[in-house]
Amino acid sequence: MLNFSFPRSPRPALVLSAALLGAGLLTPGASAQTGGVLPLVSVGQKWPQAQETYVIRVTAQDAARPVGLEVYSPTFNLADYADGRRGAGYFGDERYNQQDQMETTFTLVGPAGTVVERRFGMNREHTWESLYAGPLPAGTYTLKVTTRGDGKNSFALRTAAPFALETSDFSVNARDTEQTPLLAARLFITPDWVGKTLSLQNYDLDGPREAETWAVQPGGARVNLTPSDNGKTAADKFPITAALVGEWQVFIRVLPTTKQYSNAIRYSFRMNDAPFPARVGGFTPPADLKLLNQLLVEVVDPQGRPVPGATYAVIGDGSVKPVLPPGWQAVSSALVQGTGNIISPTEVRYQPGYNKVRFVARQAEGQLVVEAVAVYGTQRIAMPNVPFEVAGRTFTTPATVPLTPGDYAVKPTDVPGSTFTQPAPGRVPDGGTGRVVIEYRPLTEITLSTTPDVLNACDPAQLVAVAKTDFPYRLPARVRLNLPSGWSSDYPLELSGEFGGGQRLNLKVPVRICRSDTAEAILDPIDLRTTGPAQVRNPGGANVTRNVQGGGRASLAKSVELAPAGTQGYVVTLVLTVDSTLENVRLIDMLPQGSVTPATRGTIQTLEGPSLATLNPRVEGDSIVLTRVIPGRYVLRYTLFTDLPADRVVTPPDLSW
């Protein structure tokens, strides 16, 4: 298929040049076995393979190297085979229908879409063209060649070292002008293929009198391949053994008995019926032929330094655009050499010929400000030195991080004694500043203890309210106490200060507790509340029993309790027990003395007693008079209103009738 020139070192990766002279398919030793040029071919109609495809693999290691993809004779040469005769430099172009307009399209497609697409029509010469010169990002690229029209277009392809064209199904054009062995493809069998079967297939060779084809196995053994008949496929199968591991070469030679000027032949390679790629391509242009169109593209920064990872895309037949790595933006474009127009910083249109284009790009950059705050009540307290991660790097707040434009997730770290909500990604504009605030919510607590919590009426006790947290930053706070009725203190009931970072805020208050109830501690500014109860023993009671000779027996028990919470005073309960009917019974119950405001007796309630009794209780001085009682048990109750302490409210009762 081609004259296989020696590989040459590529130009520096920083200049994207279309003037690379290509790389050969064979090593220097193998090239001595071949001669002439064996073209590839694209058949427009009546061919089982409507589109020729070749794969170029770009590794990350070679992503900065110019690919140097070039084609010889991409146009359909009307003078190549005209009026049944071969022209000078015959390459095998044939138009079967003289009315058809022939057109061949070369399209290079990669992971990001079309890289370059060139359409070639008809002319009367064989030219040498650059399809794509510069480097490509790592990935797999497919070159598709399609011909429209009833005919066939012969061409040759090559790439710069270390790149290669690979395919498992392709067509070549064997010509009777070259009756020497020509290399069609190279296959590389690795040890992992041992035990599988390699199938070498050829289609439409037109029988054994037209051409012969064979394979050279590792070690140099020649194995003839079955020549296919017209419109048919022939296959030769080889079980792979360890001795067959290595490089295979497939050759073709046109025989003197041929009846054709040129013969399109398709090869297909399979391993266990799956497509198996081989390397094809390579050519040396005639000595007097110059590259018809040359496109040099530079992508540099404002200081003139090449942009790492930059390349370009050719759009249509005369438009070039830079392909920049993430984070870069085009600044300007210039047509340094050649003819064309500057469309924009990202596009230059050029006329065919020798052209040099320069794109200038700058690294787009903005910044992201990241802060951390403690949301504490209505306050937002700055939190310095909190680690966080963005773009794979770790910083501490507050930080201004230079970044290329885009959206960035900020990953906070845990802070003891707090929770946080994952913040929304920060958006960095080009030349601007984005902002992300990490909001932590401190976990605080307040306790309230009463010591002692069981005591006699109006005994002293101590209340201790403590605000605490594991949060390592200081938080301003105020601790205050609410005392219920019957609890009193001469000390301040609130304390302001800071807590956190190992420090607590303690409020200690001595109090006098005269009734069972609950105090409340409040932590401001977050209105966190807790309670602390205390139980007061009841003030006590007294009783009296009266026996009257020949008259009757009665006993009176008196008990005094604190009134329920929210009610002032004490509840006095009188229990009278009699064993005979008595008239005008007096329950003598003196009110306590010594208070600033005299004690008063509330309404007397009869809670229990025989239904036939006529009590009608009425107050006469210090006595409660019951009109008539019969044997049984009677319970009366009233509220005693006084500001005396509980230890001074119990007075002894008496009875008379």
Side-chain angles (χ1 to χ4, degrees):
M1 176 171 15
L2 310 139
N3 187 336
F4 305 96
S5 59
F6 296 170
R8 288 177 294 279
S9 299
R11 292 174 181 261
L14 303 180
V15 177
L16 314 182
S17 170
L20 299 169
L21 296 181
L25 182 92
L26 296 181
T27 61
S31 64
Q33 303 172 6
T34 67
V37 176
L38 175 62
L40 301 169
V41 67
S42 174
V43 182
Q45 296 179 10
K46 304 173 184 177
W47 195 247
Q49 191 161 307
Q51 178 177 266
E52 303 290 324
T53 59
Y54 313 93
V55 172
I56 301 173
R57 305 183 194 278
V58 180
T59 65
Q61 180 180 357
D62 296 329
R65 296 175 179 267
V67 173
L69 177 60
E70 296 173 357
V71 59
Y72 173 73
S73 189
T75 56
F76 186 89
N77 188 346
L78 292 170
D80 205 30
Y81 182 78
D83 301 325
R85 294 173 303 188
R86 293 176 296 185
Y90 175 68
F91 208 54
D93 294 349
E94 290 189 67
R95 184 167 58 159
Y96 306 134
N97 184 340
Q98 299 302 312
Q99 305 304 316
D100 275 9
Q101 294 295 313
M102 304 298 296
E103 181 183 80
T104 300
T105 303
F106 294 78
T107 306
L108 182 64
V109 179
T114 299
V115 178
V116 60
E117 183 172 274
R118 294 281 305 277
R119 290 182 176 86
F120 296 91
M122 300 185 298
N123 66 358
R124 291 184 175 274
E125 60 180 337
H126 296 297
T127 61
W128 170 25
E129 299 271 354
S130 170
L131 291 178
Y132 191 86
L136 289 169
T140 300
Y141 296 81
T142 301
L143 177 64
K144 305 175 184 179
V145 184
T146 306
T147 295
R148 182 175 59 84
D150 190 4
K152 63 180 179 181
N153 184 13
S154 298
F155 58 90
L157 292 167
R158 70 176 181 178
T159 57
F163 304 103
L165 295 159
E166 296 181 351
T167 183
S168 60
D169 298 81
F170 65 102
S171 304
V172 298
N173 199 31
R175 300 157 301 157
D176 71 342
T177 54
E178 299 287 348
Q179 296 181 10
T180 55
L182 298 176
L183 183 65
R186 298 165 67 197
L187 297 85
F188 298 90
I189 308 298
T190 54
D192 51 311
W193 296 112
V194 171
K196 296 180 173 58
T197 300
L198 174 67
S199 175
L200 304 181
Q201 305 170 14
N202 65 87
Y203 168 80
D204 202 31
L205 192 142
D206 292 338
R209 295 182 60 83
E210 288 295 321
E212 62 176 345
T213 181
W214 67 93
V216 176
Q217 296 177 336
R222 168 174 169 158
V223 179
N224 290 328
L225 302 178
T226 304
S228 57
D229 290 330
N230 180 33
K232 295 184 179 181
T233 298
D236 296 277
K237 296 186 177 182
F238 303 91
I240 299 302
T241 64
L244 297 180
V245 171
E247 179 183 316
W248 291 54
Q249 298 175 356
V250 176
F251 289 88
I252 188 170
R253 184 175 76 91
V254 176
L255 298 174
T257 55
T258 182
K259 297 179 180 180
Q260 306 178 75
Y261 290 147
S262 66
N263 186 3
I265 302 162
R266 186 181 68 162
Y267 282 100
S268 298
F269 304 137
R270 299 291 183 268
M271 186 70 77
N272 273 13
D273 298 326
F276 189 80
R279 290 191 178 184
V280 299
F283 68 88
T284 299
D288 57 347
L289 187 66
K290 294 185 179 296
L291 193 64
L292 184 62
N293 291 296
Q294 181 185 50
L295 176 63
L296 299 174
V297 179
E298 295 178 333
V299 183
V300 297
D301 65 14
Q303 287 72 43
R305 297 169 299 195
V307 174
T311 181
Y312 64 92
V314 178
I315 311 300
D317 291 333
S319 179
V320 60
K321 294 185 177 183
V323 178
L324 301 173
W328 287 80
Q329 290 188 346
V331 174
S332 64
S333 59
L335 187 60
V336 179
Q337 179 182 348
T339 304
N341 301 98
I342 306 300
I343 305 302
S344 70
T346 60
E347 183 177 3
V348 173
R349 295 189 187 279
Y350 60 92
Q351 298 298 321
Y354 291 88
N355 296 282
K356 182 176 182 181
V357 174
R358 178 181 296 117
F359 292 103
V360 178
R362 67 174 177 83
Q363 193 164 20
E365 187 172 80
Q367 55 188 13
L368 184 65
V369 174
V370 181
E371 300 171 309
V373 297
V375 179
Y376 180 62
T378 59
Q379 302 181 46
R380 297 172 70 85
I381 303 170
M383 296 171 57
N385 301 319
V386 178
F388 67 91
E389 184 178 313
V390 63
R393 294 181 293 168
T394 300
F395 305 88
T396 58
T397 60
T400 301
V401 184
L403 294 167
T404 57
D407 292 339
Y408 292 88
V410 175
K411 182 180 179 182
T413 56
D414 292 325
V415 174
S418 69
T419 61
F420 67 84
T421 301
Q422 177 65 41
R427 174 157 293 181
V428 177
D430 184 25
T433 300
R435 182 184 179 89
V436 170
V437 178
I438 308 171
E439 294 184 345
Y440 289 87
R441 298 187 180 275
L443 301 175
T444 59
E445 60 178 298
I446 185 169
T447 60
L448 177 60
S449 61
T450 307
T451 308
D453 62 350
V454 178
L455 64 168
N456 292 322
C458 299
D459 279 355
Q462 179 171 265
L463 297 183
V464 180
V466 180
K468 55 186 175 180
T469 180
D470 292 330
F471 193 61
Y473 295 81
R474 298 291 183 87
L475 301 173
R478 181 179 63 154
V479 176
R480 54 190 175 93
L481 293 173
N482 283 338
L483 300 183
S485 176
W487 296 33
S488 60
S489 177
D490 296 329
Y491 287 79
L493 297 181
E494 64 178 50
L495 175 65
S496 296
E498 292 182 335
F499 73 112
Q503 175 180 322
R504 299 183 176 189
L505 187 59
N506 300 328
L507 172 61
K508 297 181 180 181
V509 177
V511 296
R512 185 179 179 86
I513 300 176
C514 294
R515 68 171 62 220
S516 298
D517 210 330
T518 301
E520 183 180 49
I522 304 169
L523 176 61
D524 291 330
I526 59 174
D527 197 36
L528 184 63
R529 298 168 180 257
T530 190
T531 57
Q535 181 179 355
V536 176
R537 300 182 183 95
N538 286 324
N543 61 75
V544 61
T545 300
R546 183 183 180 194
N547 291 314
V548 178
Q549 186 176 0
R553 175 187 174 90
S555 64
L556 178 63
K558 174 183 178 181
S559 64
V560 181
E561 299 177 357
L562 290 168
T567 304
Q568 186 180 5
Y570 301 86
V571 175
V572 179
T573 302
L574 300 173
V575 179
L576 173 66
T577 304
V578 299
D579 60 1
S580 60
T581 300
L582 300 174
E583 304 288 340
N584 296 319
V585 176
R586 287 181 176 273
L587 308 181
I588 302 169
D589 181 33
M590 297 181 62
L591 296 176
Q593 304 295 315
S595 63
V596 176
T597 302
T600 60
R601 197 188 317 266
T603 303
I604 298 173
Q605 303 176 27
T606 302
L607 303 178
E608 185 181 327
S611 60
L612 297 178
T614 305
L615 298 182
N616 298 323
R618 68 182 185 274
V619 177
E620 294 181 357
D622 289 331
S623 299
I624 300 171
V625 180
L626 305 179
T627 303
R628 181 176 179 272
V629 297
I630 62 175
R633 182 176 182 272
Y634 302 84
V635 178
L636 296 88
R637 184 171 295 160
Y638 67 88
T639 300
L640 174 64
F641 298 99
T642 180
D643 56 5
L644 289 172
D647 57 351
R648 296 176 57 189
V649 299
V650 179
T651 58
D654 201 356
L655 281 171
S656 70
W657 59 84

